[in-house]
């Protein structure tokens, strides 16, 4: 596995926070999955898809000192902290830039931190060891510094950690069975991500009739009226009738079952999931906002 692309284990989407002594609970960090491979003085970083991104993060050389084992593969979340809180778009900026001058500047303006929560290998493969053993190994080899550090976790007390993360405006928590093995390229219910819903105001870009759903969009710094997903849940028959009456004079193009409209109508939704490209999922319709302008439906960067 060392210095080759491996696809990490992923968490299933859970329902409600819970307490259970069979589980460990960790914060859900708002960044991007990074696997760090180290042997001697060599260190490399891979994304979950297998891209090598070591050159984008020169601070990893400083991170070498945090890993006291000769060889290791760490499963991490790459984040950029501002005011003690991870900012998703700041880490996406680090992943996006490629010019050496910009990368050097970003080390100072957007310093990356890699929060390690699991370990796949040291001098031996650890995939078939239970999580409790992997945690012991991870904490035994890490001497945390500002670049690489282990995540905190609690045992059994998921509700309290969830409430704390919500108060700090973090994404939520991840619940992991203590006896869970590390299953590469698998989304397992042994790990559950538990997130609280976030509300956002979006413009309606179009709709489909079967099943009825709204195509929603947002404005970004460099892109206007960008589609960010669909919302189907939460729409009542009354909502649908009102929307169709308002949308009819705004029709533009009918394309592959989607009726596109001029982006003038605004609604509020809740969502749980957001991809690296700002696609929203697990969405629920809340209400239409007739007084709000679509120009004001902007993705928040803070």
């Amino acid at each position: 596995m060392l210095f080759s692309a491996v696809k990490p284990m992923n968490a299933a989407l859970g329902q409600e926070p819970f307490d259970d002594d069979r589980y460990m609970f960790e914060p859900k960090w708002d960044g991007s999955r990074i696997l760090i491979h180290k042997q001697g003085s060599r260190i490399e970083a891979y994304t979950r898809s297998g891209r090598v991104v070591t050159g984008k993060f020169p601070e990893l050389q400083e991170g070498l000192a945090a890993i006291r084992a000769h060889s290791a593969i760490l499963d991490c979340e790459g984040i950029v902290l501002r005011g003690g809180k991870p900012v998703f778009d700041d880490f996406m900026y680090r992943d996006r830039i490629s010019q050496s001058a910009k990368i050097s500047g970003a080390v100072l303006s957007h310093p990356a931190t890699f929060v390690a929560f699991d370990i796949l290998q040291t001098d031996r493969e650890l995939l078939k060891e239970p999580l409790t053993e992997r945690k012991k190994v991870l904490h035994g080899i890490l001497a945390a510094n500002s670049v690489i550090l282990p995540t905190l976790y609690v045992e059994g007390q998921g509700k309290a950690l969830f409430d704390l993360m919500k108060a700090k405006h973090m994404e939520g928590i991840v619940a992991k069975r203590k006896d869970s093995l590390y299953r590469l390229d698998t989304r397992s219910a042994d790990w559950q991500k538990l997130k609280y819903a976030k509300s956002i105001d979006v413009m309606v870009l179009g709709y489909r009739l079967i099943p009825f759903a709204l195509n929603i969009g947002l404005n970004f710094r460099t892109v206007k009226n960008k589609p960010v997903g669909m919302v189907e849940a939460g729409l009542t028959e009354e909502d649908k009738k009102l929307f169709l009456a308002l949308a009819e004079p705004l029709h533009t193009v009918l394309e592959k079952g989607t009726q596109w409209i001029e982006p003038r109508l605004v609604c509020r939704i809740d969502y749980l999931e957001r991809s690296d490209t700002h696609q929203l999922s697990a969405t629920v319709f809340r209400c239409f906002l007739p007084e709000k302008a679509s120009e004001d439906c902007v993705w928040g960067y803070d």
Side-chain angles (χ1 to χ4, degrees), residues 136-150:
K136 288 178 184 176
V137 175
L138 177 65
H139 284 260
I141 70 162
L142 273 187
N145 62 20
S146 61
V147 178
I148 300 177
L149 68 160

Side-chain angles (χ1 to χ4, degrees), residues 119 122 124 126 133-142:
I119 184 164
T122 53
R124 60 190 177 93
L126 299 168
E133 179 61 26
R134 299 198 308 273
K135 286 286 193 185
K136 288 178 184 176
V137 175
L138 177 65
H139 284 260
I141 70 162
L142 273 187

